Each structure stands twice: as C-alpha cells, then as structure tokens.
C-alpha cells in the first residue's frame, strides 16, 4: 500500500488546530510513518499539487480564498474540514452579526476602505465546497484527529459523536455548572472533546457546534428553571454558532 | 488474569476464524459468500439464527445465516450499507472473517412439520428465509405445501435469481415474485409484496406464515394477513435491531421486554402483538 | 555574480500565518524589497463589542492559536483593569506558571521544529527524524512536558479555559504541582541537550547586525522583585533600549506602539524612538539579561549571546536562554505555591463601566490589549496590538540592510537568509489584526 | 461470618495498612464539595461519611472503557482480561445492591468472562450510610441496607465502627486489623439501630407504592401522557444513564494502533437516552422520539430488567439521576407516582 498523500491548508483562523497536530508529540512520528505529508505550510517548506487527502483549516472570508479552496477541492480525493472555523465558521462568524462596513471602520478607522480589507460573509468550508469529513472543535481534539486519520486509512467511515458534551462531562465526574447557577452549552453541543471546559470549571461555550437535533426549546425553558435568562443563553450560543 | 473464568468458560466475545471459500455479487449491493470455519468443524445451527461477523479492526455485525444445516459451511449475504459491510465487500476468496454464534431463536422447524408454509420475503428478507426454505426442500416429505412470495424494490436488486428460477420449475412448491417498479426486462407482477397476498388467500388461514423484510414492510404485510384471517400465532416475523453483542448484554436490540438477539430474531407474532415497539 | 534577482516567496512556510517576501533586483539595482502580510482580516476588535466581560478572553484567545495563553491572560487582565478587580497571590502565581508553560512550548516549537531545519539545511523537521532521531525525540519530549503543563494549568493546551476575570476556575492540587515539579526538573538536562545540538549547527546563523531599538516589559510589580520572575513576561510597564531607563506605564501603550502607515511598504508599522523597533526574546534579553536565571545565563554564554546583541538571527538563541529561565522560574513558583498549598477561590464580579489596559510578553514579544465596558459589563470598545505587527517594520528595515549585503551570494542564498530572518522573529501573522495594502509581484 | 468492633483510630490504621500492602485500594474521597471513588493515597483522604458519589462504583466493576480482545487487523483475535485485584472501600448499600444485580445479569445465560473476572478480583468493603444525600430514596426501594454481595461491611455507630466479615476475602483483610475485638451485644444493638433508622431516613422522595408493584404499574401506562410531558424537556444527554449504578448498556468499538496492523476491541458505556442508540442501517431509528427513549429507561428500571432478575427493581434509589438531570425530569419516583395518580391499584 503506498502511503496516502496528505496536504494541510489554512484559511482565516488562528492555526491552533494545526498546532494540535504538532501537539500529538511522539505520535506525529507514527503519523508520518503512515501518511506522506506533502504540503503543510506551517511546518515544512515543501509544496505540492498532488494529494489524496486535503485538510482545510479556517473559514472562508474573502473571494480569493473561495477560489483557492475550489482548486484544492478539485485536486483532493478526500477533503476534511478541520476545526471550528472550517466546520462551522468558528468565532469568525460573529462578524456576520454586524454590518461589514461598520466592522471595518471599527477596526481600521480611516483606512477601512483599502481594497484588501474587502471581506464577505464568513462561511464554513462546507458552505463553499463539498466536505467529506468534519473534525469539529476550537481547537480540535488531537486524539480525535488521530483516530479519524487512522480510520480513514483503514477505509472506515470516521464517526464524530452525535450526543451532547454532558455525556463526557458526566463521565469525568464533574459537578454540573448549572448546579452552581451558571450557563453551560453542554446539553446541546456535540461531544468528542472530552469536556475539558466544564472539567476545568468553565462552561462549555459550544466550540464543536450543535448536535444534529439540539433541544433548544428545552434549553430555553431550563434557563428559566435556573433563573437565568434566554438572553444569557443566546449570548453564549453566538460565540461559536453564529449564522 | 482470572483463571476461575477462563479455564471453564469461553469468552463470549471471541470470534473464531473462518475462510471465504466462494463469493459472488448477487446484485449491485448484495454480496453472497460461502465460509468454512478454520477449525474444520461445522457450525450447529437451525434456520433463523444469525452469527456475529467481524473483521478485526473494522468492526462486528449480526448477519443472518442463509444456508441450511443440511449443507456444508455457512452462506451469508451481506448488503453494503456501512463501514464493516463495505470492507467485507472488498474481501476475496481466501480472506478470513471472524465468526461468533450461532445466536438467537429459530424458525419453528419441528413444529412446522406436516404444515403448509408460506414465506413472505421483502428484499434482503429472503436471506434468512432462504435458510428455512432450503431446509424444507431438503426435507421435503416432512412438510406440507410450500409457497414463497418474493417482493423486491426493483428488477436489478433481485437476489438468487438462478435459484429462484429453479424453485419456480419445481412442482412441489409455488413461488410468486413481484417488483415494486416496472422494468423493461420484467413481464411478471408489478407492485409491493402485499399485492401477492390476495392470490393465496385461501391457503393462508391454515398455513404458518414466515415474514421477513425491511422495517416498513411488516406493518402492511401483517395488516393483509390479518385481513386474510391468519391467526397471529401462525405468523413468524424475523426482526432486525441494532446489536453490539449478540448475547443479551449490550441492550441495543431491546424491544420493550424482548431482546432480539435472545428472544428473536424470529418471533411468533402473537408474542409481539402487544409489544408496542416491535413492528 | 547574478545581476538579476527575482525572489517571490508566496506564503512563507514554517511561520504562523501568511507572509510574502518580494525582491526584484535588476542589473544590480534593488527595485523592490518587501515584507508583506496578506493574512485574511478577522476583525476581532469589532467582534468583542456587545459581548459580556467574561466572554472576552474566550473570543480573543482565537486571535492566535500559538499564543492563545498570552492573549487570554492579557485580555483577562485588561478586563480586570477595567472592572477594577484585584486577584489573589495564588491566582497571580498560577497564571505565571500557565504563562511560563506557553513560553516553553512556543520557544521549543519554534527553535526545534521551525528554525532547526534551516540550520540542518532541511526543509522541515520530517527529514530530521531519521537524521537526528535522538535530538528530535528530546525536542518532542520537552514540548510535551510544556504542553502537559499548559493543559494542567489552562484546562487544555490551546485556548485555555481556566481564566476568568477575577481569578481561576480551577487551580492545580498540591499533588499535581508536585508531579509537575518532577517533570520540569527532569527536562532540564534535555534542554541542555537541545542547546548543545543547536550550538553544533549555530554556525549557520548569519553574522548580520543592525543597530535596533528593542522594546519589552520591565518588572514594576513589587511581589516579583528579587525573584526569577523579575525577568518579566507578565507584569510591568514598557521600556526600550532607547528609553534610557524611562518606564512608560501600560495604560499609555498606544504612545509607544505608534501605529502608522509607511509610504514605501505595505504593513501597518509601529515606531517609538526610531523608524521601527523589535519585540521578542532578544528584546527582553537586551533589556533585562542580568535578571536571567543561572541556567538561562549559562545558555546565553554558551552561544556568546551578550546584552546589546543586534543580530536578529540571535532571537532564537535568546529563546533558548529563556527556555532554561522559565523552567527555573516555574520551579521557584511551584515551591512557593507548595509551601502554602493551593485551594479553590471563588470569585465574585460586579460589573461596572470603565476602560482597562494590560500588557504581557507573548513568546514573540510585547502584546497589548485594552477594553471598555458599559455599566452592565458589556464591551463597547476593544483594541489589541500584537507583537508581530510591532516587528513588521523592523523586518523591513532589516531587509533593507540585508539585501545589499548578501545580494552577491546569489538568489538562493539570499532567499534562504531572508526566510531565516523572518522566521527568527517567530512571527505569528495569524495574530495580526491590523495590516494594510498587499501587492503581488509575479 | 464474624462481627467485630474497632475504634476509629484503629480503623484508620487498618486503612493505612491496606494502602501500604494491597496492590490497589479505591475509596470514597472529596472532589470539591462532592465525592468520588478514586485511588486512595492516604487513610486521611477516605470519607466514609460521604452522602453519595458522583459516579457509582460501577466504574470499577464495568469500566467506562474496557478491552475485550486484542487483534491483528483483518486477522485473529485473543481474549484480554484486564481486571486486576482491587479493594473497593466505602460502597453504600444501594450501590451494593446494584452491583449484585449486575453480577446476576452478566453471569446469567451467556456468562460474560470479562465482567466476571474483573468482579471476582474486586474485594468490596461496603459501608452503611451516615449522611443521606439530598435525593436518595433507597428506603423506598428496599436498598437502604444490604445483606449480601460484600466481603466486609462497615457500620459507623458513633465512637466505633462495626466490621462484619462476610467472605474469605474479607477474613484475609482482617489480618490488617489486629486490634479488632468481637462485637458486643451492645455494639450489635447499635448497629441494628443504624439499620432501623436508615430504612426510613434514606427517603427524600417517597415512592407511593411497593417497588414490587412497578412492573404492573408500567404495564398499564405505556401511553400515559407523562412520557411526553417530561420528555419534552429531555436533552437526550444520557446524563441519567451515565450516573446510574444499574445502567450497563454498552457499545463495542475497534481501535487500531498507529502501526495500522494491531488493535483492540473495546467496550464503552452507552446510554439508551442517546438519540442514536437504536438506529440501524438505512438510518431507521426504532426509538426516534425523545419520549420513547425517556420511557424506555423507566421501563427498563421498573419492568424489563426486573423480568430478567427475578423481579428486583433495577432502580436502587440512589437519586443520582435526579441530581444529574439538568432538565430536572429524570426523577423516577416523580414519574412512577404520577402514573399512580391515574391508575387504580388492582
Ligand atoms: C439479526 C440480524 C440479522 C441481520 N442479517 C443481515 C444479513 O443477513 N445481511 C445483511 O446485509 N445485514 C444483516 N443485518 C444488518 C446488519 O447487521 C447491519 O447492516 C450492519 O450492522 C451494518 O454494519 P456496518 O458496519 O456496515 O454499518 P455501520 O457503518 O456501522 O452503520 C451503517 C448504519 O447501520 C447502523 N448500524 C450500526 N450497527 C448496527 C447493527 N449492529 N445492526 C443494525 N444496524 C446497525 C448505523 O446506525 C448506521 O445507520 C442483520 C441485522 C440483525 C440484527
Ligand atoms: S457542566 Fe455542562 S457539559 Fe457538564 S453536565 Fe453540566 S451542562 Fe452538561
Ligand atoms: S434510575 Fe436514578 S435513582 Fe435509580 S438507580 Fe439509576 S441513577 Fe439511581
Ligand atoms: S439526564 Fe435528563 S435531559 Fe439528559 S437524557 Fe436523561 S432525562 Fe434526558
């Protein structure tokens, strides 16, 4: 079996997801033992136009990025959206809640009209080209990434959990944030991360996106039970799950 | 390591190896294969039972036995629907699979002796039924009339065509076939399998009726059978559920109080009629 | 000698984010020599508006995955400044540890994975695996320990989740701190090994200097005077090699990082006393070398790095010295925490209107955040100034001197030196929130 | 069986001796303001006065992730029994009752060597409840005290601890308790008083019927509106499954190592409340509605599992699901009582 050729590309993002690949530490040696990494700008100088698997990090925010993504898609047999930005648009999508001209003025003042600052609606990768697999999270969970890669190489269809974060949070024996009167998005957000945030005493802020069928109505009613407001809930949902 | 258990009891999750001795695609998605256990032994099973088939590293799934215990080896038919089944489809003759079993309940092979039998098969539902049909044909004198109703979604999906053609030739059984969607090469019945039921209306009340097919089929077939006054105790259904162990532990296949892997997959319909989640 | 050189490095590799190098030399005349940044703008300062004070660090952490801990810490502190929140000594110390873990992971990553291949004449760390397996494994091990430290203190490696305005949502137990101490003590010899490996190929660092202004934090917090944390990454005000001892308070950072538009280049630049300044490990070293830990000093000596060094390539050496330093400084803090034991401290925050500022040393240099909140604690304004932006102008000025000096060595050698120069600044361009026009030369 | 008395100090020495000499000791200890079972590092950390642990000791008899087999990809498999000798210290009676049920379930019909090997290597030191938790209702379920399953049972009677030794495994451990003296009449009377009391006080929610009536009650109420009413708020988060000492449904997964040649087949906890628990090929979900999944759990506790284990109700009244359910709908007593309201007891 010849090793599959893998290329990693980044768009608008913080590159934290690529970092999680580096953070596989010793396992990265195993990884390069089973795949041929032919392009990975952040870690190596080689570049290539021939690859079987393209891994896309980041969301699409400019017309030129859309074009570049389409070229990558046309070359890749399998395209993986890596991380929240690629999977659901990530924090970048919060921009879509504002008027773009106003956004630009806010950040760039009088220089806002410079042509390169052109920005369009932030989109997730699947909103631009077809995506074969999605590894969510901000950042991704390295273990999950490693598992998905191995499953792909074996010809399995990698699965990402479709149950809420609470499953993993409970498994870690955390006391639920709601018991402290705090909001947590865990009940409606897709698991797979291992619930690091509630485990560290912080709320789940939804970086992996909603489960397929979130019970948002329940979430609203439950807020009232805990004397929290639906507005509080929406505030938190907007961080990673803006439209 | 705990010796108390491992010495006297075998590991219920440990498959034994079997070799693929024949394989052939029955249509675009269904693969037939013949397996021989590497131990050289023959598996002792009864029509209706299933085995857990696994490909180490990919996964495990329950698969009905399609052969009869009157023949050598095991015959399985596997539909390409997901990870494991896709991987199995790629295997060639000589490749190994893991097998555990047989598990589950059986068709009423003894009870049915001397009785008239009707088999209602929808699509891949023919696969487990074939085990019993062939068993009956191999012990033809023990059973009464045999009627097989076959329904398939479309012409190209039909299974075991040569074998069915041979059945059709036989004088000692009646086979009727229909396909859901008309096709140029097909001059037989068109319509869902329930459309065949009125044609044998007279025989039905005195027959044992075996039903197997996709989840949606049961409701309609059972309604037609009720209209034809078939007692619920004479109907046997073969159900599919998600399964992770095959031995009554994992909880996935449970329908109300029944475990499909232990109490099923073959149920007498009268035992299920009051079980809301069954059909 | 070639008279025509045409370098067009589109999306420089082995740096965080996208940067281009463009050089046009025709008949020996430099027509163009530019450092450009075409990173997609992400508008963080706009996105924080309307968000509650306790969501700010979660959002701005995403400015950069590589320095997410610094961004989270500085944002949390700027929010605390605005809301007038004091934190306990335990919080202060635990946050220091968290911050040190980032310095260590980032520096090891930069020197080990991104710079070392240049020195070994390779295009990435991958070929080094068979070539120098022990060295690579040692680097990986140090990186892993640093990351485990981040995960313990920050809840996860990247984008920490234990920071909240006013305190920490989780503090490590004494058991966990003891285990961490053991790990850190164990990697000290590994760090020395890494230094020796780099030293063996350090001849590959170009001998290039340019008189430069270096800007960094200067410790002004009484708690850390006389400790190893006096070499500051976390607290303090602003100093530069040109400021002759004058310390500018953090709240006035905008008067230091005078952002301006340069007519001859593309990125938005910063300047203080001169046309450009540098931030980063070398800047910190040049301002406070005498405060380094014993092992940190030893590492600097190994490489002949001395205060006043103006060779930008030596930023990587300063990073190595800082690796040794932060391990020793972390051990000092762990001991301090262990003497009292740690306990969870509940925080209570009452929102109020106000504006706050904070500065911190990210691994790649000084970083500023400011926010303003309304009386309900919702953000109405934010401003961030990222170290890489502060270095863009300096990279350009280095180029201006470097290209004439090395253009006779030919295109490949020149390109290599320019790429290495940019890499030595350890830029994480994905950080960049402000930049201007881009132009591609084909 | 022998019953002994030790002072609290002597008991502490006993725990210290266990930690020093036994391969692995797990005990209840504080985690923030709650309690968990975890590796016990010092006798001081043990908290036998705990109310309830966040997860039940099920995580030791049936771990969240457990290797069943090792294999070569596409090839042969070997059994793995990865259980190790372990002392489980501080198991409450209701949790003991749950473990007794699991023992029965995993040994009946098809004998599960993986569960049973692990279980046989575990020595259980149970302890009677000192501080009832805020949601416990073991009194209602008849599990406030327990008569069997443990190797040793501790009862705190104030100034001293009564130690009942039940099995050979327990007897061996008595070597670490040289100071124990046979319990006096007076000690036994005090212990009976604790039992007497616990039969009544572990009852923060009161089931309004005998537990043995539940199967019948459920049989009559499959289409009761309560299922829909409650399940409307269900997140399908399975928290109720995760924390329950009697839930044991599992998933089986193949995990392949980086060499891509070897791997292991593992079983991991699953939960019937999770949306795709009953989904089969073709995306057909046999329990698609939240209400059908919600109902399934309460039927399983009150009817289906009892059918397998001689009528014992598979809810031991620990109250964990009540605390764990964010939507506050999982309380079995609430549901069963609501069914009672509209059903005449025949
Ligand atoms: C008693 C019994 C007999 C069966 N006999 C046959 C047969 O003879 N031929 C045949 O082709 N199929 C048969 N099946 C169905 C077969 O088991 C599933 O199609 C198979 O598990 C799919 O495995 P996969 O890994 O290829 O699919 P996956 O990639 O695992 O999944 C594809 C889909 O199947 C669902 N699924 C996962 N595991 C199971 C499971 N254990 N059972 C059912 N669905 C599942 C998933 O939710 C998903 O929707 C039988 C099932 C049962 C219960
Ligand atoms: S803390 Fe959040 S993730 Fe954890 S159980 Fe509660 S709601 Fe779910
Ligand atoms: S159903 Fe709830 S109360 Fe009953 S045993 Fe399970 S977790 Fe405890
Ligand atoms: S814990 Fe509550 S919300 Fe979650 S699945 Fe159980 S019943 Fe539903």
């Amino acid at each position: 079996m010849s090793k599959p050729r893998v290329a990693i590309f980044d768009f608008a993002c913080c590159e934290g997801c690529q970092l999680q690949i580096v953070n596989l530490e010793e396992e990265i040696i195993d990884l390069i033992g089973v795949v041929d990494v032919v392009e990975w700008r952040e870690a190596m100088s080689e570049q290539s136009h021939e690859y079987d698997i393209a891994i896309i990090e980041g969301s699409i925010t400019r017309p030129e990025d859309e074009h570049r993504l389409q070229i990558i898609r046309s070359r890749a047999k399998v395209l993986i959206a890596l991380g929240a930005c690629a999977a659901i648009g990530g924090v970048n999508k919060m921009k879509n809640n504002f008027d773009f001209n106003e956004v630009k003025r806010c950040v760039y003042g009088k220089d806002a009209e410079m042509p390169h600052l052109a920005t369009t609606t932030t989109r997730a990768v699947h909103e631009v080209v077809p995506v074969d697999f999605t590894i969510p999270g901000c950042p991704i969970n390295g273990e999950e990434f490693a598992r998905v890669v191995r499953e792909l190489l074996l010809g399995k269809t990698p699965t990402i959990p479709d149950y809420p974060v609470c499953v993993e949070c409970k498994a870690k024996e955390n006391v639920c944030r709601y018991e402290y009167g705090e909001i947590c998005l865990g009940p409606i957000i897709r698991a797979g991360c291992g619930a690091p945030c509630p485990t560290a005493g912080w709320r789940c802020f939804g970086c992996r996106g909603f489960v397929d069928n979130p019970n948002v109505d329940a979430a609203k009613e439950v807020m009232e039970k805990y004397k929290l407001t639906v507005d509080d809930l929406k505030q938190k949902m907007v961080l990673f799950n803006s439209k | 390591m705990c010796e108390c258990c491992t010495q006297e009891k075998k590991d219920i999750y440990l498959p034994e190896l079997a070799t693929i001795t024949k394989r052939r695609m029955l249509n675009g998605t269904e693969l037939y294969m013949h397996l021989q256990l590497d131990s050289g032994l023959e598996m002792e099973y009864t029509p209706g039972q299933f085995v857990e088939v696994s490909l180490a590293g990919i996964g495990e799934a329950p698969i009905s036995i399609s052969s009869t215990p009157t023949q050598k080896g095991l015959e399985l038919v596997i539909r390409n629907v997901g990870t494991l089944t896709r991987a199995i489809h790629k295997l060639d003759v000589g490749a190994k699979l893991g097998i555990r079993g047989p598990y589950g309940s059986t068709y009423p092979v003894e009870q049915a002796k001397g009785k008239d039998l009707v088999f209602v098969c929808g699509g891949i539902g023919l696969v487990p039924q074939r085990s019993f049909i062939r068993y009956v044909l191999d012990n033809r004198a023990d059973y009464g009339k045999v009627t097989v109703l076959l329904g398939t979604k479309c012409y190209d999906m039909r299974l075991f065509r040569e074998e069915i053609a041979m059945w059709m030739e036989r004088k000692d059984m009646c086979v009727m076939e229909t396909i859901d969607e008309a096709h140029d090469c097909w001059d037989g019945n068109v319509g869902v399998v329930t459309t065949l039921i009125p044609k044998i209306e007279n025989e039905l009340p005195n027959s044992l009726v075996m039903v197997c097919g996709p989840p949606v089929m049961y409701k309609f077939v059972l309604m037609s059978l009720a209209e034809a006054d078939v007692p619920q105790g004479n109907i046997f259904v073969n159900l599919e559920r998600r399964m992770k162990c095959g031995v009554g532990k994992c909880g996935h296949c449970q329908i109300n109080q029944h475990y499909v892997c232990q109490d099923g997959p073959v149920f007498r319909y009268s035992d299920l009629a009051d079980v809301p989640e069954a059909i | 000698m070639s008279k025509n050189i045409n370098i067009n490095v589109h999306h420089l590799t082995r740096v965080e984010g996208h940067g281009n190098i463009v050089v046009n030399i025709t008949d020996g005349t430099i027509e163009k020599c530019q450092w450009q940044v075409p990173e997609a703008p992400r508008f963080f300062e706009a996105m924080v508006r309307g968000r509650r004070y306790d969501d700010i660090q979660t959002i701005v952490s995403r400015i950069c995955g590589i320095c997410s801990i610094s961004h989270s810490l500085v944002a949390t502190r700027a929010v605390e400044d605005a809301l007038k929140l004091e934190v306990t000594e335990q919080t202060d110390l635990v946050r220091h540890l968290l911050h040190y873990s980032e310095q260590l992971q980032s520096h090891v990553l930069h020197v080990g994975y991104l710079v070392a291949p240049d020195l070994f004449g390779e295009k990435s760390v991958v070929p080094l695996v068979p070539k120098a397996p022990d060295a690579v494994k040692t680097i990986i091990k140090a990186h892993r320990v640093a990351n485990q430290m981040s995960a313990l203190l920050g809840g996860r490696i990247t984008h920490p989740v234990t920071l909240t305005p006013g305190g920490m949502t989780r503090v490590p137990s004494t058991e966990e701190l003891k285990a961490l101490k053991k790990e850190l003590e164990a990697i000290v010899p590994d760090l020395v090994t890494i230094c020796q490996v780099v030293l063996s190929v350090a001849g590959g660092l170009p001998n290039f200097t340019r008189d430069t202004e270096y800007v960094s934090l200067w410790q002004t917090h009484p708690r850390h005077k006389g400790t190893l944390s006096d070499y500051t990454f976390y607290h303090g005000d602003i100093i530069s090699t040109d400021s002759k001892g004058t310390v500018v308070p953090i709240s006035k950072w905008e008067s230091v990082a005078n952002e301006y538009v340069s007519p001859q280049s593309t990125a938005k630049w910063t300047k203080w006393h001169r046309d450009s300044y540098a931030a980063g490990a070398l800047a910190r070293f040049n301002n406070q070398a005498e405060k380094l830990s014993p092992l940190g000093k030893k590492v600097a000596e190994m490489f002949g790095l001395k205060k006043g060094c103006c060779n930008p390539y030596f930023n990587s050496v300063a990073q190595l010295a800082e690796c040794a330093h932060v391990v020793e400084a972390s051990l000092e803090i762990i001991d301090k925490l262990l003497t009292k034991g740690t306990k969870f401290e509940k925080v209570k925050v009452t929102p109020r209107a106000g504006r706050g500022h904070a500065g911190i040393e990210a691994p790649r240099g000084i970083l500023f955040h400011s926010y303003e909140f309304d009386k309900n604690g919702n953000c109405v304004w934010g401003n961030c100034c990222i170290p890489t932006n502060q270095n863009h102008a300096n990279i350009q000025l280095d180029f201006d001197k470097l290209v004439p000096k090395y253009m006779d060595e030919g295109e490949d050698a020149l390109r290599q030196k320019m790429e290495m120069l940019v890499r030595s600044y350890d830029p994480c361009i994905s950080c960049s929130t402000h930049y201007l026009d881009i132009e591609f030369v084909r | 069986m022998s019953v002994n008395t030790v002072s609290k100090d002597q008991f502490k020495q006993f725990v210290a001796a266990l930690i020093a000499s036994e391969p692995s000791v797990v005990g209840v200890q504080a985690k923030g303001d709650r309690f968990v079972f975890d590796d016990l590092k010092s006798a001081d950390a043990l908290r036998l006065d705990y109310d309830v642990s966040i997860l039940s000791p099920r995580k030791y008899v049936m771990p969240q992730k457990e290797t069943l087999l090792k294999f070569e990809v596409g090839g042969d498999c070997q059994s793995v029994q990865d259980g190790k000798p372990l002392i489980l210290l501080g198991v409450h009676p209701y949790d003991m009752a749950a473990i007794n049920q699991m023992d029965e379930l995993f040994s009946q019909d098809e004998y599960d060597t993986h569960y049973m090997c692990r279980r046989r290597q575990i020595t259980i030191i149970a302890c009677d409840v000192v501080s009832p938790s805020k949601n416990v209702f073991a009194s209602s379920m008849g599990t406030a005290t327990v008569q069997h399953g443990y190797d040793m049972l501790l009862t705190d009677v104030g100034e001293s601890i009564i130690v009942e030794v039940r099995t050979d495994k327990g007897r061996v451990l008595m070597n670490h308790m040289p100071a124990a003296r046979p319990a006096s009449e007076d000690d036994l009377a005090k212990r009976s008083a604790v039992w007497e009391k616990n039969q009544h006080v572990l009852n923060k929610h009161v089931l309004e019927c005998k537990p043995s009536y539940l199967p019948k009650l459920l049989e009559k109420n499959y289409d009761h509106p309560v299922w829909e009413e409650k399940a409307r708020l269900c997140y399908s988060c399975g928290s109720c499954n995760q924390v329950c000492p009697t839930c044991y449904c599992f998933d089986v997964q193949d995990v392949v190592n980086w060499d891509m040649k070897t791997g292991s087949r593992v079983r991991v906890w699953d939960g019937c409340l999770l949306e795709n628990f009953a989904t089969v090929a073709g995306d057909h979900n046999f329990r698609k509605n939240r209400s059908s999944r919600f109902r399934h759990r309460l039927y399983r506790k009150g009817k289906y599992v009892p059918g397998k284990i001689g009528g014992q109700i598979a809810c031991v009244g620990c109250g964990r699901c009540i605390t764990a359910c964010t939507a506050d709908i999982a309380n079995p007593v609430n549901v069963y009582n609501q069914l009672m309201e509209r059903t005449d007891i025949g």
Side-chain angles (χ1 to χ4, degrees), chain B residues 11 22 49 73 79 84 92 158 175 182-183 224 248 250 254:
Chain B
D11 181 350
K22 278 181 234 162
Q49 290 194 289
R79 174 177 284 188
L84 174 71
D92 281 328
R158 293 161 61 239
V175 181
H183 190 273
S224 308
C250 79
Q254 199 174 8

Side-chain angles (χ1 to χ4, degrees), chain D residues 319-336:
Chain D
R320 288 187 179 92
C321 58
I322 306 174
T323 313
C325 178
T326 317
D328 195 17
I329 52 175
N331 186 341
V333 176
N334 243 330
V335 174
Y336 294 142

Side-chain angles (χ1 to χ4, degrees), chain C residues 294-309:
Chain C
L295 190 60
K297 283 186 180 138
K298 221 181 263 167
V299 171
E301 250 165 55
M302 253 167 93
F303 287 85
L305 171 64
K306 290 201 188 67
K307 204 169 173 171
C309 169

Side-chain angles (χ1 to χ4, degrees), chain A residues 24 27 30-31 34 145-147 149-151 153-154 156 162-164 166-168 170-176 178-180 187-188 199 212-223 225-226, chain D residues 31 33-37 53-56 59 64 73 134 231-239 242-243 253-260 269 274-276 288 290 293 323-329:
Chain A
L24 287 172
E27 279 186 56
D30 298 318
L31 174 72
V34 291
F145 170 81
R147 176 178 62 79
V149 169
R150 291 198 301 262
E151 290 185 345
L153 296 183
L154 272 179
K156 285 173 129 175
D162 182 31
Y163 46 74
C166 298
V167 173
E168 291 170 347
K170 286 294 181 338
K172 291 241 166 109
E173 298 201 66
N174 298 322
V175 178
C176 179
Y178 283 95
E179 286 189 48
Y180 296 124
I188 47 176
T199 305
D212 286 348
N213 184 15
N215 199 347
V216 176
D217 292 340
K220 289 177 182 162
E221 225 166 293
V222 170
M223 286 308 111
K225 254 186 192 156
Y226 287 93
Chain D
K31 176 178 179 180
D33 44 12
R34 303 279 292 276
F35 298 93
V36 295
F37 280 90
S53 56
I54 299 180
L55 287 184
S56 78
K59 65 176 181 169
Q64 296 171 336
V73 172
K134 68 174 184 205
R232 198 174 50 84
L233 289 185
C234 178
Y235 284 123
S236 303
C237 69
S239 294
Q242 290 276 316
V243 298
Q253 297 164 0
D254 281 8
V255 181
V256 174
N257 302 327
W258 270 119
D259 62 11
M260 305 303 281
W269 288 5
L274 303 182
E275 181 152 358
N276 286 317
K288 202 179 172 66
R290 293 179 201 283
R293 296 190 295 272
T323 313
C325 178
T326 317
D328 195 17
I329 52 175

Side-chain angles (χ1 to χ4, degrees), chain B residues 235-262:
Chain B
I235 303 174
F236 293 84
V237 292
N238 191 325
L239 298 184
E240 183 193 340
R241 284 296 186 277
R242 192 188 183 96
M243 277 178 200
K244 283 296 173 185
C245 71
V247 288
K249 309 286 184 213
C250 79
H252 281 274
C253 71
Q254 199 174 8
I255 36 180
N256 301 110
Q257 66 269 38
H258 299 290
Y259 278 78
V260 174
C261 64
Q262 289 182 313

Side-chain angles (χ1 to χ4, degrees), chain A residues 17-78:
Chain A
C17 290
Q18 296 182 52
L19 187 64
Q20 305 317 305
I21 304 178
V22 176
N23 289 348
L24 287 172
E25 316 292 5
E26 283 82 355
E27 279 186 56
I28 202 159
I29 297 181
D30 298 318
L31 174 72
I32 56 178
V34 291
V35 299
D36 232 345
V37 183
V38 294
E39 175 158 353
W40 184 2
R41 194 195 46 75
E42 193 179 274
M44 53 198 267
S45 297
E46 287 93 337
Q47 297 189 347
S48 172
H49 287 339
E50 278 169 43
Y51 34 81
D52 303 302
I53 302 174
I55 298 178
I56 308 292
E57 187 196 32
S59 46
I60 310 307
T61 61
R62 297 179 299 188
E64 64 255 46
D65 294 338
E66 187 171 339
H67 181 62
R68 185 171 153 235
L69 180 61
Q70 274 154 354
I71 294 175
I72 295 170
R73 174 71 265 192
S74 69
R75 289 177 181 153
K77 293 196 191 91
V78 173

Side-chain angles (χ1 to χ4, degrees), chain D residues 137 240 243-246 297 301 314-322 330 332:
Chain D
F137 57 99
C240 47
V243 298
C244 181
T246 68
R297 180 177 79 99
K301 303 289 168 212
C315 165
V316 293
C318 70
R320 288 187 179 92
C321 58
I322 306 174

Side-chain angles (χ1 to χ4, degrees), chain A residues 196-214:
Chain A
C197 308
T199 305
W202 191 241
R203 54 176 164 260
C204 167
F205 45 87
C207 75
R208 290 174 61 91
F210 295 125
V211 291
D212 286 348
N213 184 15

